[in-house]
Amino acid sequence: MSGNTEVVVIGGGYAGVMAANRLTQRADVTVTVVNPRPEFVDRVRLHQLVGGTHPAVVGYRKILREGIRLVVDTATRIDTAQRSVTLAGGGTIGYDYLVYAVGSGSADPSVPGAAEFAHPLATLEEAERARPLVEAAAAVTIVGAGPTGIETAAELAGRGRAVTLVCGGELGPYLHPRGRRSVARRLAKLGVTVLEGPAVTAVTRDAVQLSDGRTLTSGVTLWTAGFGVPGLAARSGLTTDALGRLLTDETLTSVDDERIVAAGDSAAPSGLPVRMSCQAAVQVGPQAAQTVLARIAGTEPAPIDVGFAGQCISLGRRHGIFQFSTKDDTAKASYLGGRLGAVVKEVICRSIVWQMGYEARHPGKRKWWATDDKRRRLVRDGAPAALDRAA
């Protein structure tokens, strides 16, 4: 391809920032990032924003390479025929290639009353709205016992709030039983009431009803049960999976259009999406950019490599856990807990911002991802669906 190439990145989260920075390896590529906010949201710290211990935002000038254009707006539609993106604020942006990195947000709750009376925490705006409500409440109920629910419960309990954590199943389902017991002990010391088993059947302004017939009084109810993805791809006529993630091949290229490449929580490569996480996003983002760069250069893009090391969870400011895993994201029996777990968690959180800044200063200098041989076997064997890119 001769002349300048315009690449639009929709989404300025972990994957989008890493992709945008990596794309600047070529001087003949112009990169535009479309993002609804003027600052980067450090989502792994949103529980701290709710608890009042961290703002959970970083200035883009610290992590985005100079020369990348930032458009503060929301993409409402992708026109693949015209190669343009329609913006909520009016107007369009044209592209030669597009990186679809819209991320994820709160899933729409199907529980009666949850949408009206429970407060999700998946975005900056949601966390900001919840914070004053939490500060004014004597008792807080948190629904959902994944990392966000656990971290928020511990953060608030450590700051003197009476917290009930409704798991709707088991505590920390990702965790190995040994790690789960460690988390349960710490939550108990913080005074968190953990309810495993019963699910929430209804939410009212001041209460939560459970499947076992109990009704819990709640000053404020926080909803951390599950994530969803924006509907931009589906609205634009692109093929998605059941959750709405853009379906791609193993090079992260849309099965509908080789000019569109996906990264992060909103991608479903080969019908085998990886866990929605910052850990995956900082690996997949640069590889999405590498696919675009390969197509510009006229070479064959490489299949992705993604590997996991584990999951880290804050348990207040002084305790935490790092749950080790295999590269295919299966929890091991080994973990780091207590104060050491908190130190490891904080180091990892800081390193994420550092990684993005390093990529901005030195695009393409480091490889951030590992190889999961199990994934390669699944794709090779066609399970559940190794998808070839549409012609």
Side-chain angles (χ1 to χ4, degrees):
M1 181 176 288
S2 60
N4 192 71
T5 302
E6 299 281 347
V7 182
V8 172
V9 179
I10 303 179
Y14 299 108
V17 168
M18 291 294 279
N21 287 332
R22 180 64 61 101
L23 285 164
T24 63
Q25 288 181 91
R26 288 185 62 124
D28 60 350
V29 171
T30 299
V31 183
T32 299
V33 174
V34 178
N35 192 67
R37 307 170 192 86
E39 292 181 298
F40 172 80
V41 179
D42 200 3
R43 277 184 69 176
V44 297
R45 294 192 184 274
L46 285 179
H47 64 285
Q48 290 185 253
L49 171 59
V50 176
T53 60
H54 199 282
V57 292
V58 177
Y60 272 115
R61 65 180 180 179
K62 294 182 179 180
I63 58 173
L64 206 57
R65 187 168 176 81
E66 185 177 353
I68 294 175
R69 178 189 176 202
L70 176 65
V71 174
V72 181
D73 210 328
T74 300
T76 59
R77 187 173 180 273
I78 301 166
D79 187 330
T80 57
Q82 297 297 320
R83 293 181 193 162
S84 66
V85 178
T86 302
L87 303 177
T92 60
I93 299 177
Y95 66 85
D96 294 306
Y97 289 92
L98 184 142
V99 177
Y100 187 82
V102 298
S104 61
S106 300
D108 291 332
S110 58
V111 174
E116 295 84 1
F117 302 114
H119 303 276
L121 300 178
T123 68
L124 177 68
E125 292 78 12
E126 290 169 348
E128 288 177 335
R129 287 194 293 267
R131 182 179 174 182
L133 301 175
V134 168
E135 289 179 344
V140 178
T141 300
I142 300 174
V143 181
T148 302
I150 292 171
E151 290 187 322
T152 306
E155 196 76 26
L156 298 181
R159 297 181 68 78
R161 295 290 180 274
V163 179
T164 299
L165 180 61
V166 182
C167 301
E170 65 182 356
L171 175 69
Y174 175 92
L175 300 171
H176 186 276
R178 291 187 62 204
R180 186 174 300 115
R181 288 192 291 271
S182 176
V183 170
R185 287 193 297 269
R186 182 57 191 166
L187 291 177
K189 288 183 179 179
L190 288 169
V192 177
T193 300
V194 176
L195 300 180
E196 294 187 277
V200 173
T201 57
V203 180
T204 63
R205 190 178 304 278
D206 56 4
V208 170
Q209 297 176 16
L210 303 181
S211 57
D212 62 5
R214 282 182 290 174
T215 297
L216 307 178
T217 300
S218 179
V220 61
T221 300
L222 304 179
W223 197 271
T224 67
F227 290 97
V229 298
L232 176 61
R235 287 199 308 272
S236 302
L238 296 166
T239 303
T240 66
D241 69 1
L243 194 64
R245 291 171 290 209
L246 184 67
L247 276 178
T248 77
D249 64 13
E250 277 296 281
T251 72
L252 298 170
T253 304
S254 165
V255 297
D256 302 306
D257 189 338
E258 70 173 15
R259 297 281 181 151
I260 298 178
V261 178
D265 292 354
S266 54
S270 300
L272 292 167
V274 296
R275 172 164 56 90
M276 292 183 178
S277 63
C278 168
Q279 187 174 176
V282 296
Q283 298 178 71
V284 175
Q287 294 180 80
Q290 292 295 156
T291 290
V292 173
L293 293 172
R295 296 203 183 283
I296 294 172
T299 60
E300 190 67 24
I304 60 168
D305 281 327
V306 182
F308 288 85
Q311 187 178 86
C312 52
I313 300 175
S314 292
L315 298 170
R317 294 298 84 219
R318 296 187 177 183
H319 289 76
I321 182 173
F322 184 87
Q323 170 68 73
F324 290 99
S325 76
T326 58
K327 289 182 180 179
D328 70 354
D329 207 24
T330 301
K332 297 180 178 179
S334 53
Y335 69 91
L336 299 174
R339 292 183 182 271
L340 178 57
V343 170
V344 171
K345 163 74 173 181
E346 182 60 26
V347 168
I348 290 173
C349 288
R350 293 185 182 186
S351 75
I352 295 164
V353 176
W354 178 87
Q355 286 180 48
M356 292 186 291
Y358 186 91
E359 187 70 31
R361 297 187 299 273
H362 310 286
K365 291 295 184 182
R366 293 191 64 178
K367 179 178 177 180
W368 304 100
W369 50 89
T371 299
D372 172 15
D373 292 331
K374 184 176 180 180
R375 178 184 179 85
R376 290 185 172 182
R377 291 194 301 272
L378 288 170
V379 172
R380 181 194 64 206
D381 296 340
L387 302 173
D388 294 324
R389 179 174 55 80

